[in-house]
Amino acid sequence: MARKEDIMIRRRKKVMPGEPPKRSTEEPIEHRTAADRRNGRRKKQRRRLLKRMLAFVLAVVVVFTLWINWDVLNPEYVWTWVKLQVTGGDTGDGFPHDIEGNTVVDMDTVGQQLCVLTDSYLLMFNSTAGETVRRPCAFAKPALDTAGKYALVSEIGGKRIRLETLSKTKLEVQTEAPIVAASVAENGSFAVVVESTSYQSEVWVYNASGKQKYHWSSASMLVMDVALDGNTMAVIGTNVANGALQSELLVMNITSEGDPIRTTVPDTLLHEVHIFSDGRIAAVGDTSSLMYISEKKQETIRYQDRRLLGYAFSGKRLGLLLGSHGAKSGGILQSCNTSGEAVFTVPFSGAQRWMDADNSGGYLLLTSEGLSHITSTGRTNGKGLFADGMRVTTFNRQAVVLGLTKMEAITY
């Protein structure tokens, strides 16, 4: 006999008239679950792909931001900022800043610092005119060249050279012969032109650690200046051909043993050479300038009946300040691109004192009648009169004017 608890009575569910019978939910549930799983997998794949794309875009943005702001984000400047916040020191009262102007040898920008070389010290100032660096410099005839975060201080006529950064003196080099000229690149490599007992001139190239990595010498050419950018080095100098003195521009690759590319510049004495960011080279002379475009193409910029008063390299522009022979004031500023073509020509008045680049195709011009900012389009904006202004340089989108007793900063 079956037990009571084992007996199960099944009753049919009543179906109301007109109501369709309910289906069993077991089999449809299985079909919906499989479809949901497939859809779920697709959604997860799409989400993973979207997350990866977002992560990639974010990484690109971070890398790009670090790259364009490296001067202020690299460890040297971050450490300096931390020191300023912790110690409260080195924060200035802003411009104007007292300084003996007649002791200043040169001024330029190093990273986010204003670098001032005097006859006794190498100084650096931040945007508040706070003195962040003061290092003794006892060179008899010091010269300054800057690129990126590096400042190169050389002793012209002596044998000492120093590579400086905001945080420290990175290295000191003692040359075997007196120094004629020196130039530093943005990676810290630097080239030094020295006198020679065996040759007319020699050029030594060092990396940022002080290791010699290239040497070039000439028995006939007297080198006047050198420029270095990456693996490209350009030198200018003079030699004698057919009893006449002529100038030459030499372009060479410091990683190759091939002969340099020579360009003769007749009837002019070259003063300075500069390598632009597009690889083209300008050699500025007393009666004309040469724009080296390629091995097969060079353009000569002639001054016609004018004399050279000053020049500056601004972005991919060469600015030439030209005046009439015999005139004590006034003239023109001619801006040329790296193809040697004149972009604009503007007149100026007053006696020329100093000219500098704003690094974006424009210029700062200081004359006896005041300071002017000439934009990349040739528009002239007056910035005031500086009776004792001696020189001007660009810093933090400001024009820093050096006077006899102080530095002043004017936004342009």
Side-chain angles (χ1 to χ4, degrees):
M1 180 180 293
R3 290 183 298 178
K4 183 178 180 180
E5 57 267 30
D6 291 336
I7 300 174
M8 181 181 294
I9 301 175
R10 298 182 180 272
R11 297 183 179 180
R12 291 182 177 271
K13 293 184 179 181
K14 294 182 180 180
V15 178
M16 299 296 294
E19 180 181 351
K22 292 185 179 181
R23 296 182 179 179
S24 174
T25 59
E26 295 179 1
E27 187 173 339
I29 289 177
E30 291 178 359
H31 285 292
R32 282 201 303 271
T33 301
D36 288 344
R37 286 176 180 174
R38 286 194 296 270
N39 291 334
R41 283 196 297 269
R42 293 192 187 101
K43 289 180 181 179
K44 287 181 180 180
Q45 289 173 352
R46 286 196 292 268
R47 282 197 296 267
R48 281 198 297 267
L49 180 60
L50 181 61
K51 287 179 181 179
R52 289 173 182 172
M53 291 177 64
L54 290 174
F56 176 75
V57 171
L58 181 61
V60 170
V61 171
V62 170
V63 170
F64 181 73
T65 303
L66 289 173
W67 177 65
I68 63 175
N69 294 286
W70 182 247
D71 280 344
V72 294
L73 293 176
N74 73 60
E76 290 183 357
Y77 295 109
V78 171
W79 174 238
T80 299
W81 180 86
V82 170
K83 287 194 295 184
L84 289 175
Q85 305 311 310
V86 173
T87 66
D90 299 331
T91 301
D93 298 323
F95 293 97
H97 178 80
D98 293 339
I99 192 170
E100 292 184 24
N102 55 7
T103 67
V104 174
V105 175
D106 204 352
M107 301 168 59
D108 211 337
T109 301
V110 176
Q112 297 297 312
Q113 301 284 306
L114 174 65
C115 184
V116 179
L117 178 64
T118 74
D119 54 11
S120 302
Y121 293 96
L122 176 71
L123 308 172
M124 291 189 191
F125 300 91
N126 58 27
S127 58
T128 66
E131 188 179 290
T132 54
V133 169
R134 174 177 285 263
R135 295 175 194 149
C137 180
F139 293 178
K141 190 179 178 181
L144 176 68
D145 189 54
T146 65
K149 67 177 184 178
Y150 294 99
L152 188 71
V153 183
S154 53
E155 184 180 33
I156 305 301
K159 299 181 179 181
R160 294 175 291 178
I161 194 162
R162 285 167 31 184
L163 185 64
E164 305 276 358
T165 65
L166 173 61
S167 62
K168 63 181 178 180
T169 298
K170 189 169 179 64
L171 61 89
E172 297 185 42
V173 172
Q174 186 89 7
T175 61
E176 296 181 358
I179 298 170
V180 175
S183 175
V184 64
E186 288 196 359
N187 62 2
S189 296
F190 56 97
V192 185
V193 182
V194 297
E195 298 175 8
S196 176
T197 56
S198 303
Y199 304 94
Q200 189 76 277
S201 294
E202 288 185 89
V203 181
W204 291 93
V205 179
Y206 302 81
N207 63 17
S209 300
K211 182 181 178 181
Q212 293 179 355
K213 64 178 187 179
Y214 186 76
H215 174 250
W216 177 85
S217 61
S218 176
S220 60
M221 183 177 182
L222 182 62
V223 176
M224 308 297 293
D225 191 34
V226 62
L228 183 65
D229 182 49
N231 294 325
T232 301
M233 186 172 73
V235 299
I236 56 172
T238 59
N239 58 28
V240 177
N242 299 322
L245 194 67
Q246 67 177 17
S247 294
E248 281 189 327
L249 165 67
L250 274 63
V251 180
M252 59 196 77
N253 187 324
I254 63 174
T255 63
S256 171
E257 295 182 356
D259 294 332
I261 302 169
R262 292 177 177 269
T263 302
T264 301
V265 187
D267 304 322
T268 191
L269 179 64
L270 297 177
H271 295 311
E272 187 172 343
V273 63
H274 176 80
I275 303 175
F276 293 99
S277 60
D278 59 3
R280 297 181 179 183
I281 300 169
V284 180
D286 58 349
T287 60
S288 66
S289 290
L290 177 72
M291 193 67 70
Y292 176 92
I293 300 170
S294 67
E295 182 178 356
K296 297 182 179 180
K297 187 176 181 181
Q298 299 90 37
E299 293 291 338
T300 301
I301 304 169
R302 304 190 186 279
Y303 309 155
Q304 305 303 332
D305 58 345
R306 292 186 171 93
R307 62 191 178 96
L308 182 68
L309 303 176
Y311 54 89
F313 309 102
S314 182
K316 295 180 182 179
R317 303 272 184 88
L318 165 62
L320 298 167
L321 206 62
L322 305 172
S324 300
H325 289 279
K328 294 183 179 179
S329 64
I332 62 168
L333 191 162
Q334 180 176 316
S335 181
C336 301
N337 59 25
T338 56
S339 295
E341 303 165 337
V343 179
F344 64 78
T345 299
V346 296
F348 73 91
S349 58
Q352 177 265 349
R353 292 183 180 174
W354 205 266
M355 179 181 176
D356 195 31
D358 71 357
N359 298 324
S360 61
Y363 309 90
L364 297 170
L365 179 59
L366 181 65
T367 72
S368 57
E369 295 190 2
L371 173 68
S372 297
H373 176 224
I374 295 90
T375 68
S376 59
T377 60
R379 187 177 68 252
T380 300
N381 301 317
K383 294 299 176 180
L385 178 65
F386 297 87
D388 66 344
M390 301 168 64
R391 65 170 70 207
V392 62
T393 192
T394 183
F395 171 59
N396 197 28
R397 291 203 58 80
Q398 292 180 307
V400 177
V401 179
L402 175 69
L404 291 173
T405 59
K406 61 185 177 181
M407 295 186 299
E408 297 186 63
I410 303 92
T411 302
Y412 60 81

